Structures are given as structure tokens and as C-alpha cells.
Amino acid sequence: MSSRFPIILVGLPGAGKTTVGRLLAKRLNVDFLDIDEKIEQDTGKTISKIFAENGEKHFRDLEVDTICALLNSKSVLSPGGGAVTNPAIRKIFKNYPVVWLKVSSTCAAGRVGIADSRPLLTGDPLAKLEKLYAERRPFYEEVSRWQVSTDGLAAEEVVDEIIRNFEEA
């Protein structure tokens, strides 16, 4: 397994970044850091509240600052699904092992359901996920060193695949 950290997991909401990230970190005996959770802890506000009060641009700026502060950590990082839309983050990610957890819009919609905690998915989650996938796919492809499909796989199977990719690198 590569000793290069942090390992960064990217993908749509519902791809399994948090679930897989926690399991991967446990298997590697490192910390798991969810960027959205860290932002909420640091600001004392939910992501939904930050979006509502300050807008997406402000949130994306907080995201860059938080990611940069954690780049020296021996950890698995899970940024929000839209982090890759930011050119500054894409530039940073090129220097780290990034795994794109690919998920179909249908599977992702089934996993996230209707959640107020996901401000970009309010209304029709499936339609919004399809739109997000179309917009973000080129960015996920640009930053990822590996791609692992999560459709139909248990989180443990996804972790096994990620570890296999690292061992073969």
C-alpha cells in the first residue's frame, strides 16, 4: 500500500465517500476526515445554513481552506461531491492519490433519499444527481488516479478494490 497520504475520495453524493472512507481509514489505521463535518465544526453552522446564509461560493472557499489545512495529515479525506468544481481544489488534488467512487445516479438517489442536509439535492434528487454527474464527470476524471464503481458493492468490497489499486501502483 502506498504510504502517500492523504488519500482523497471523490464522487457524487451517495457514492459512499463517508462509509467507504471510514472503513478504509480503519483498515489503514489512519484518521478519517469528512471535510463537510470539519467545516460544520469550525463554523458552528450546518452546510445547509452556510449555503442559505452565505451562498455556495463562500462554502467553496471554506472547503479550500479546510482541505489545505489537512493536506499534511496521514488520513483519508472525504470532501463534498462538488469540491472538484473548484479549479484551486483540482490543482491541489493532482498532487495526491485521489479515488473516484463512481456511482450511477439511480443508485446514488436510492442511497441519499430526500435529505435536507444536502442542499443541492432538494426537490427531485434523481434529476439533480443526473445533472450533477453530467457537470462533474470531467472534473472527477481529471483529478482521479483510480476509479472504483460502487454500484452493487458492499463498502468492504469497495475498500478491498481501493487497496488493490494502491498495491498494484
Side-chain angles (χ1 to χ4, degrees):
M1 181 81 188
S2 170
S3 61
R4 184 99 196 253
F5 286 97
I7 297 169
I8 302 166
L9 304 179
V10 298
L12 287 176
K17 295 181 301 292
T18 300
T19 302
V20 168
R22 287 187 199 287
L23 286 170
L24 179 61
K26 185 175 181 178
R27 288 259 302 268
L28 299 175
N29 198 31
V30 298
D31 292 330
F32 170 75
L33 302 167
D34 181 293
I35 302 304
D36 287 356
E37 287 178 6
K38 179 80 170 111
I39 291 170
E40 288 180 343
Q41 290 170 357
D42 291 350
T43 63
K45 296 179 181 179
T46 65
I47 300 303
S48 294
K49 191 167 190 167
I50 294 168
F51 266 73
E53 291 179 357
N54 307 103
E56 184 175 0
K57 185 192 179 319
H58 177 73
F59 170 74
R60 297 296 175 203
D61 291 342
L62 290 172
E63 203 170 38
V64 170
D65 294 345
T66 304
I67 288 168
C68 286
L70 299 173
L71 289 175
N72 291 324
S73 64
K74 187 172 182 180
S75 61
V76 174
L77 297 182
S78 175
V84 296
T85 63
N86 186 322
I89 288 178
R90 290 197 308 274
K91 185 176 179 183
I92 291 164
F93 282 3
K94 288 183 182 188
N95 297 310
Y96 296 89
V98 176
V99 180
W100 175 17
L101 300 182
K102 291 180 78 172
V103 64
S104 68
S105 301
T106 303
C107 186
R111 290 177 183 170
V112 300
I114 299 172
D116 292 334
S117 63
R118 297 180 189 262
L120 294 179
L121 298 181
T122 55
D124 181 352
L126 179 58
K128 298 231 173 140
L129 283 163
E130 289 171 348
K131 182 177 185 286
L132 289 176
Y133 182 78
E135 292 169 354
R136 296 174 181 176
R137 179 181 180 186
F139 301 133
Y140 293 140
E141 289 173 344
E142 177 185 339
V143 301
S144 61
R145 195 173 297 174
W146 297 283
Q147 300 175 13
V148 177
S149 176
T150 66
D151 285 14
L153 294 180
E156 293 82 4
E157 294 172 301
V158 176
V159 170
D160 290 342
E161 183 65 26
I162 293 169
I163 290 174
R164 251 192 312 279
N165 285 326
F166 274 85
E167 288 172 343
E168 294 171 2

